[in-house]
Amino acid sequence: MSCQPRVVDQELTERFAATGAVVLEGPKTCGKTVTARHHAASEVLLDADRNARRMVGVDPGEVLRGKTPRLIDEWQTEPDIWNHVRRAVDDRGAPGQFILTGSAVPADDITRHTGAGRLTRLRMRPFSLFETHHSSGEISLRRLLDGTPQRSEPSELPVSELVELLCRGGCWPAHLGYPLARALRMNRDYLNEIRRVDISRVSGRQRDPVKVGRLLRSLARNVATPASLSTLITDVRGGGRIMKWETASEYLEALEQLMIVEDLPA
């Protein structure tokens, strides 16, 4: 797959110049591996390479050995690699050594030993409308906050196309060039995998996929609102299934680990 330029590319380059390792995080299929490969000189794919996963417990130095920057893809499948990367960065004393990509956030106790200047985190998301050339990017949020007057030509994007972009739910790399019906089908399959498999995997216990699905629908209805957890629970109960406050909280925490849900500050 060719690497289409992303907004995050420049920030990733800047991080490499200042720190030993960059942790590139984001939901599944948002383009992390393709983007990381564009910057990496060697790689190891822990989710696909069983021998590499075994090697983490036997000789982790072998997994880290390779031209730098070295990509360690889906590192969270072998969380022990975190401390080995941290030590390698200390020992080498040079920036731009590793890129760690992950589509799930491990428990905090795994990554709490970071150390200033060793590793830095960078969140990646699906394509923005600017990256897909549906937006001109003429209006800058930074300049707006600076009080700089800004002007742009009227948008030529028809309402029908804007609605279609909204229905796609963001621009996933795998959806580029696909008709709307296929993209929507892929979105449904994506969420089905989340509620049936992934949320139980990151939780370490079985979760009810029906309740997870109802919670996801409620989140979608309440996106970009200050909806409380109680509001979400009431919404889920409207489907006839009662969800306890503790259960809803645990489900939300798991969805945040998978980076499906992201709370924004006020």
Side-chain angles (χ1 to χ4, degrees):
M1 181 186 295
S2 62
C3 181
Q4 182 168 336
R6 305 293 297 270
V7 171
V8 78
D9 283 322
Q10 180 179 349
E11 191 170 357
L12 188 53
T13 299
E14 293 171 354
R15 299 286 183 96
F16 273 139
T19 189
V22 177
V23 184
L24 187 60
E25 298 177 331
K28 290 195 303 184
T29 75
C30 73
K32 299 182 301 298
T33 303
V34 174
T35 295
R37 279 176 165 169
H38 181 64
H39 295 265
S42 65
E43 66 179 36
V44 56
L45 311 179
L46 290 182
D47 62 330
D49 191 337
R50 182 180 300 177
N51 289 332
R53 292 198 299 272
R54 291 171 175 167
M55 189 62 69
V56 171
V58 177
D59 184 5
E62 186 65 28
V63 179
L64 303 184
R65 189 172 294 117
K67 292 183 179 180
T68 59
R70 181 160 175 79
L71 165 61
I72 304 176
D73 193 41
E74 298 295 348
W75 72 271
Q76 80 283 348
T77 59
E78 290 295 332
D80 288 343
I81 198 69
W82 177 271
N83 282 329
H84 296 295
V85 168
R86 184 175 58 85
R87 294 192 189 101
V89 168
D90 281 344
D91 293 341
R92 297 179 186 184
Q97 295 298 303
F98 301 102
I99 314 174
L100 281 67
T101 64
S103 54
V105 181
D108 288 340
D109 59 343
I110 294 174
T111 62
R112 64 186 172 192
H113 301 295
T114 56
R118 295 168 178 164
L119 299 97
T120 182
R121 295 176 186 271
L122 184 57
R123 177 62 65 93
M124 191 169 178
R125 300 172 179 85
F127 278 103
S128 66
L129 295 183
F130 176 68
E131 289 173 307
T132 59
H133 309 295
H134 289 97
S135 169
S136 66
E138 292 177 277
I139 301 297
S140 164
L141 181 59
R142 177 181 297 175
R143 292 197 297 270
L144 280 172
L145 295 175
D146 288 341
T148 304
Q150 295 188 81
R151 297 178 179 83
S152 69
E153 295 298 322
S155 173
E156 297 182 358
L157 188 67
V159 174
S160 59
E161 187 173 350
L162 180 59
V163 171
E164 179 176 321
L165 290 169
L166 290 172
C167 290
R168 287 177 180 270
C171 299
W172 301 92
H175 294 183
L176 295 179
Y178 286 166
L180 178 61
R182 183 171 181 179
L184 293 179
R185 178 70 268 169
M186 293 173 71
N187 282 343
R188 294 188 186 98
D189 292 343
Y190 186 102
L191 290 176
N192 276 333
E193 190 72 8
I194 294 295
R195 69 187 183 92
R196 292 180 182 278
V197 179
D198 291 348
I199 194 168
S200 296
R201 175 173 53 81
V202 300
S203 298
R205 55 185 296 188
Q206 188 62 38
R207 299 300 188 184
D208 185 341
V210 175
K211 289 183 178 180
V212 176
R214 292 191 180 280
L215 180 59
L216 286 169
R217 290 190 186 96
S218 179
L219 288 166
R221 283 192 288 268
N222 290 284
V223 70
T225 73
S228 66
L229 184 58
S230 297
T231 299
L232 299 178
I233 292 173
T234 301
D235 200 12
V236 171
R237 284 178 178 173
R241 286 176 175 263
I242 297 176
M243 178 178 285
K244 295 180 180 179
W245 193 94
E246 295 81 2
T247 302
S249 181
E250 291 174 356
Y251 281 18
L252 283 175
E253 182 179 349
L255 291 172
E256 288 174 358
Q257 282 187 266
L258 292 167
M259 286 167 274
I260 300 301
V261 174
E262 182 178 358
D263 273 340
L264 298 179

